[in-house]
Amino acid sequence: MSRIRNTVSLMLASSGLALVCLFAGCGEGENGGEVTPATRRIILLTNGNSPYWDAFATGAKQAEEKLDVGKGGLQVVIDRGNFSPQTQIDKLRQYQGATDIVGVAICVSDPKNQALVNQLVSLSESGVKLITVDSDIDRENEKARTARFGYLGTDNFEAGQELGKAAKALRPDGAKFATFVGVKSASNAQERIGGFQDGAGENFVQLESMGDQGQADTAKKNVRDSLDRHDDLNTLVGIWSYNTPAIVDIVSDLGIREKTTVVGFDADPPSIAAMEKGNLDAMLVQDPYQMGFEGVRLLTALINDNQADIKEIFPNYGKPDGDIHETGLKVVVPSEESPIKADLFSEGTTFLTLEQFKEWLAEYNLTGS
């Protein structure tokens, strides 16, 4: 594959600036600006376009500025997917054909999609530095695991466990629950759902797990349909960031808040507003800001062979699971009156009331996380 990439490079060099721009996609990306022929791009590719990724983009931009990556001729570009594996495959092919792209961080939309896995391996073999963020490859697939240097993000099973513990505190006698997510086969979806069941315990019975493929209307319809099918469904779990606001909307529309527990991942602005209004019981908050910041820092280090920074981010690299860098978890509850208490959670999980969490957001100039 290296020969293919080198061949493309020679073609571009001989064909002039216009062709360079065609392959490089001049000016692409939400924060791109015009790319000059001397610029080398770092691409951060999300799985979708939910507000969750706004904090990720903020972290990446601040890393670009604070680390002064432009001084080394690098530019950071955020590229957003649409929850479709095929879209990610197409974008990865485009990156491979663009000689100015030297690093890619990707939130893998479907680690079981073989065409996507093949494209990730092909991109890595072409010489582009590759890492994963937020949702990893299938770690049982050794070829895919070694294609990407490492993973930055949440331990999704542990995150699911922590949210399950919160739900158990709200319903100590058990519950009938359903989970709602974009793509059920995504690694972060499967790990979070499995972790939730583990943390909530055997008295929590899962009635359904529904996927919406990133479609907002389907996300709401899934919640309504699930409630229609199960009279005893009393706990609703949002697995991806936009699922929780969708749950809140349907519960409010049906007027069943008093008998329904609502918990979910992430803190999109609508979820924060819902908690302020008493319509959301707990949020398990990741740190997409750090994923963006550290993603840029790591790719820059890999491209420049900065072993000190690489070692600092992955101090146990080469050892079992030494290719995983966790970016931390927060459990957020409405107030100190919540039955959910700090001592329920792992030592590394930060426990915050909503007001304390809003102070943290303000510190980083974020509207969500």
Side-chain angles (χ1 to χ4, degrees), residues 271-289:
S271 293
I272 296 171
M275 184 169 278
E276 288 177 328
K277 295 176 182 176
N279 292 324
L280 177 58
D281 297 299
M283 294 186 289
L284 191 292
V285 182
Q286 305 176 85
D287 198 340
Y289 174 91

Side-chain angles (χ1 to χ4, degrees), residues 161-171 199 263 282 331 340 344-345:
Q161 283 180 316
E162 301 293 64
L163 191 61
K165 293 175 188 175
K168 185 178 182 180
L170 294 163
R171 288 190 175 272
V263 298
V331 172
I340 304 170
L344 295 174
F345 303 102

Side-chain angles (χ1 to χ4, degrees), residues 62-364:
Q62 292 194 4
E64 181 181 32
E65 180 180 345
K66 291 182 178 179
L67 302 177
D68 198 14
V69 301
K71 188 175 181 180
L74 296 173
Q75 181 186 28
V76 175
V77 177
I78 308 297
D79 199 4
R80 303 202 186 209
N82 61 359
F83 298 107
S84 163
Q86 187 58 50
T87 297
Q88 287 197 324
I89 293 168
D90 293 342
K91 286 179 177 291
L92 292 169
R93 284 176 178 153
Q94 182 185 12
Y95 301 161
Q96 191 167 340
T99 55
D100 67 312
I101 293 176
V102 290
V104 171
I106 179 173
C107 173
V108 181
S109 62
D110 184 355
K112 300 294 186 183
N113 185 305
Q114 195 55 51
L116 177 55
V117 171
N118 291 342
Q119 192 55 50
L120 286 168
V121 172
S122 179
L123 181 69
S124 175
E125 290 179 347
S126 75
V128 174
K129 303 299 182 185
L130 179 67
I131 65 172
T132 51
V133 293
D134 188 64
S135 187
D136 202 3
I137 45 75
D138 175 11
R139 293 173 192 157
E140 300 301 316
N141 184 334
E142 190 61 27
K143 191 172 184 179
R145 184 164 187 160
T146 55
R148 61 92 168 113
F149 181 82
Y151 166 74
L152 301 173
T154 299
D155 180 326
N156 285 294
F157 188 83
E158 181 183 357
Q161 283 180 316
E162 301 293 64
L163 191 61
K165 293 175 188 175
K168 185 178 182 180
L170 294 163
R171 288 190 175 272
D173 296 328
K176 301 289 181 64
F177 74 95
T179 58
F180 302 91
V181 69
V183 180
K184 291 197 294 183
S185 60
S187 63
N188 62 359
Q190 295 181 349
E191 291 164 6
R192 290 174 192 178
I193 293 170
F196 180 86
Q197 179 72 79
D198 189 75
E202 61 184 14
N203 288 334
F204 271 63
V205 178
Q206 184 176 17
L207 299 181
E208 289 201 86
S209 178
M210 305 190 70
D212 53 59
Q213 303 303 314
Q215 301 301 311
D217 291 343
T218 305
K220 290 186 178 181
K221 183 177 184 300
N222 283 348
V223 178
R224 187 182 292 275
D225 290 349
S226 191
L227 287 165
D228 286 344
R229 281 191 291 268
H230 304 287
D231 291 337
D232 54 349
L233 177 59
N234 57 21
T235 298
L236 306 177
V237 187
I239 299 297
W240 281 6
S241 61
Y242 63 89
N243 291 119
T244 304
I247 292 169
V248 168
D249 285 349
I250 297 303
V251 169
S252 298
D253 288 348
L254 297 176
I256 57 172
R257 172 61 180 145
E258 292 299 319
K259 64 177 185 179
T260 308
T261 296
V262 181
V263 298
F265 273 81
D266 304 318
D268 276 5
S271 293
I272 296 171
M275 184 169 278
E276 288 177 328
K277 295 176 182 176
N279 292 324
L280 177 58
D281 297 299
M283 294 186 289
L284 191 292
V285 182
Q286 305 176 85
D287 198 340
Y289 174 91
Q290 283 299 326
M291 295 180 203
F293 192 100
E294 291 296 295
V296 169
R297 182 182 172 217
L298 177 59
L299 283 172
T300 302
L302 290 170
I303 292 163
N304 295 328
D305 194 27
N306 183 337
Q307 292 298 320
D309 275 4
I310 295 171
K311 182 71 174 177
E312 186 174 320
I313 299 171
F314 289 103
N316 298 314
Y317 201 81
K319 299 177 182 178
D321 289 336
D323 56 350
I324 298 169
H325 174 95
E326 296 181 24
T327 49
L329 299 172
K330 296 179 181 65
V331 172
V332 180
V333 299
S335 69
E336 293 180 351
E337 282 68 44
S338 170
I340 304 170
K341 303 301 181 186
D343 59 4
L344 295 174
F345 303 102
S346 301
E347 185 177 347
T349 297
T350 303
F351 180 82
L352 299 170
T353 64
L354 181 60
E355 287 305 312
Q356 292 170 329
F357 177 61
K358 289 166 67 176
E359 291 173 5
W360 178 85
L361 289 175
E363 181 179 347
Y364 290 94

